[in-house]
Amino acid sequence: MSVFTTVSNDELVPFLKNYSLGQLVDIKGIAAGVTNTNYFVTTTHGKYVLTLFETLQASELPYYVDLMVHLGQHGIAIAAPIANLRGEYIDELNGKPTLLVPCLPGAVTDSPNVAQCGQVGEMLAQMHLAAASYSGQMSNPRGPQWWSATAHDMYPFMSEADAALLHAEVQLQSQHKFDQFQMNLPKGVIHADLFRDNALMNGDQVGGFIDFYYACNDILLYDLAITLNDWCVLENGDIDAERARAMLAGYQSVRPLTDDEVADWPIMLRAAALRFWVSRLLDFHKPAAGEMTFAKDPGHFQRVIQHHQARTDFWL
Amino acid sequence: MSVFTTVSNDELVPFLKNYSLGQLVDIKGIAAGVTNTNYFVTTTHGKYVLTLFETLQASELPYYVDLMVHLGQHGIAIAAPIANLRGEYIDELNGKPTLLVPCLPGAVTDSPNVAQCGQVGEMLAQMHLAAASYSGQMSNPRGPQWWSATAHDMYPFMSEADAALLHAEVQLQSQHKFDQFQMNLPKGVIHADLFRDNALMNGDQVGGFIDFYYACNDILLYDLAITLNDWCVLENGDIDAERARAMLAGYQSVRPLTDDEVADWPIMLRAAALRFWVSRLLDFHKPAAGEMTFAKDPGHFQRVIQHHQARTDFWL
């Protein structure tokens, strides 16, 4: 359950008077999500999603919200923020910063098919190109510095063999100078968390990408690696070659990879898996106080990395 | 048929590469409309409408296009313009300025029901409020000066009785100082041409208002009068009281009329009818060279005015 801040009809009616969205019909809490409060809001005009931010402050939101506005203006499948009558996207309700967006078509899929992976790859590339004209800047708070420091804190919780593997991966990435200021790879705005649960699929089409609150400026190829590691994965942590080829082909139909990107693709897949292995270890061994996270198995991304280590064909 | 400038697949494919809208699937000319060329463009992402402007220059478009962007950002039911990869809404194809918008749900209705008239009134009021924060300025090119001068040119084509009636209406409006700088009525951005064929209805809901190319800064009540004169009209030029009451109630549920507006409502209904009586007379007696207008019966708005003259109940 992810309604941390309750909103009543009586509170929402005056709030909505500051918008151009018709009269309130119904409000319903959304169970998904672990960080923010989300409600489906139905009005005489349509169906919307109201988010109350539980951890991000209003002052921290413009990078993400303006990015969503920008992407929406370019026709990228996302839920474009709706402005209130003062022309502001970020409003306030019950002491929390809020955002209203239209409800997107489609639903989350746990087992994407080949066509869906192709469409997600294509939309991701379109998003990377459309965001090139976005002026906001945000460094990645989950970059190499973060995972190196966090891995160091995790070793005591791990078996000697697992800790050695993690340490070797951190070292490997460090040797490859995985740093956005050092690598010769195209950079831009990345979603950085485009897992299956952050996209609504409408049949084989992308209904919309959601949850841009890890978005940042980083290496584009890293975003593709994060996405592929989740969308094309098998239960054992190996990658389904057919889905991977479809996602890469979809992506490259819009933005063909450079020679440097092709060369760094195998190491980038491991970097993307390393970032989530480390964050899952952290959530598992040191859950934040009061956080309602259902800690996910850290071993999953360890297995993803081990399969990448053994791989010789990277579907390009 | 309103495809004045043809567009081939081979021309559209490179044009679309500058957008984030997927791969071209199909293109089809749209028969409706008499001024611009419009195509339905289907891509792997969805269905869009491509407009090639045949008379407006690119330099004349920003007021209208930025208004549409603004209204879209506020959740008003319109087709929000889509930016290309350079961040521009107005592009160019085959020598004509272009605009790409998503295809709206719904269809034009010739015989709106009471509920639809209520929804149109409500959305119009929301549009007026949302546009209050729009900074663009455009005077009405079809205002009192225009209709006085144009009526003068039409008298020679008319019967003595009709010309006398038209002259009396022009005089009446002039005596009531119908001038946006003189009247004590709320002003703002108006659509100015919200006839039934400029709205797509999705069931009883407004799918979207279209064709903002007469939009300007003028008296808000005038926009409501223009809209009601068309949506609530009977074949004989009289107004259907039930639809009129629904439209007024819908409008006032969002923006209640001021005392001044209530007082001026009867004269405003006649001003709105006068403007279209005059423009239809012009189209009928002096069609612009090469214009593919199907001249509409000018007598219709003469009858609308005559019914307004005889009316005592204005549904408020």
Side-chain angles (χ1 to χ4, degrees), chain B:
Chain B
M1 176 59 178
S2 60
V3 172
F4 307 103
T5 303
T6 56
V7 175
S8 69
N9 278 36
D10 287 351
E11 288 160 343
L12 197 55
V13 167
F15 177 84
L16 284 178
K17 280 209 186 305
N18 197 28
Y19 285 84
S20 307
L21 302 176
Q23 309 298 309
L24 180 62
V25 173
D26 188 40
I27 175 168
K28 199 175 166 190
I30 302 177
V34 291
T35 312
N36 298 317
T37 294
N38 289 295
Y39 278 96
F40 284 125
V41 173
T42 305
T43 74
T44 47
H45 289 192
K47 199 169 173 184
Y48 305 90
V49 175
L50 171 69
T51 298
L52 288 84
F53 294 94
E54 299 290 343
T55 55
L56 285 166
Q57 304 296 309
S59 60
E60 299 173 293
L61 287 170
Y63 176 83
Y64 311 109
V65 171
D66 292 348
L67 172 62
M68 293 160 72
V69 172
H70 180 93
L71 295 176
Q73 288 171 341
H74 284 76
I76 299 296
I78 66 141
I82 297 166
N84 64 23
L85 289 176
R86 290 187 300 272
E88 304 160 342
Y89 295 107
I90 302 161
D91 207 322
E92 189 183 310
L93 183 58
N94 294 352
K96 301 287 163 64
T98 62
L99 189 68
L100 257 174
V101 301
C103 201
L104 292 170
V108 165
T109 177
D110 282 330
S111 41
N113 62 34
V114 172
Q116 289 173 324
C117 289
Q119 285 296 305
V120 167
E122 194 251 19
M123 187 66 80
L124 182 64
Q126 298 259 19
M127 192 193 88
H128 286 164
L129 293 190
S133 52
Y134 180 60
S135 59
Q137 288 290 330
M138 175 78 66
S139 61
N140 191 342
R142 297 278 181 280
Q145 273 198 305
W146 173 85
W147 73 46
S148 302
T150 306
H152 189 266
D153 293 342
M154 294 299 109
Y155 299 142
F157 296 101
M158 302 169 76
S159 76
E160 206 169 310
D162 290 353
L165 177 65
L166 179 57
H167 184 254
E169 285 296 312
V170 170
Q171 286 295 106
L172 177 82
Q173 293 297 336
S174 159
Q175 283 155 19
H176 276 78
K177 300 185 176 156
F178 184 160
D179 181 304
Q180 56 176 322
F181 301 109
Q182 294 180 279
M183 289 182 80
N184 190 26
L185 300 177
K187 325 248 178 353
V189 178
I190 71 171
H191 183 285
D193 193 30
L194 192 55
F195 281 47
R196 286 161 286 181
D197 57 356
N198 282 335
L200 301 175
M201 299 306 295
N202 191 19
D204 286 346
Q205 292 193 305
V206 178
F209 295 159
I210 60 174
D211 206 348
F212 280 79
Y213 306 108
Y214 280 105
C216 54
N217 295 69
D218 207 332
I219 294 166
L220 300 182
L221 189 68
Y222 181 55
D223 213 14
L224 180 57
I226 290 171
T227 307
L228 188 143
N229 272 346
D230 184 68
W231 285 78
C232 307
V233 79
L234 300 164
E235 267 192 45
N236 67 359
D238 201 359
I239 299 291
D240 174 0
E242 200 185 354
R243 278 183 280 159
R245 271 192 287 268
M247 179 168 283
L248 282 162
Y251 189 90
Q252 294 207 86
S253 74
V254 175
R255 192 182 80 79
L257 299 183
T258 66
D259 291 346
D260 286 331
E261 287 179 305
V262 170
D264 280 331
W265 177 233
I267 195 78
M268 195 61 72
L269 284 163
R270 285 162 74 170
L274 175 60
R275 176 254 180 268
F276 287 95
W277 185 13
V278 171
S279 65
R280 286 197 177 182
L281 284 167
L282 183 68
D283 290 342
F284 190 83
H285 295 298
K286 286 187 158 184
E291 199 163 275
M292 296 177 74
T293 302
F294 303 96
K296 291 171 183 166
D297 172 24
H300 172 74
F301 276 106
Q302 178 176 344
R303 291 187 290 277
V304 171
I305 285 185
Q306 287 169 315
H307 281 288
H308 284 325
Q309 286 174 342
R311 198 178 309 287
T312 54
D313 173 11
F314 289 88
W315 326 288
L316 283 169

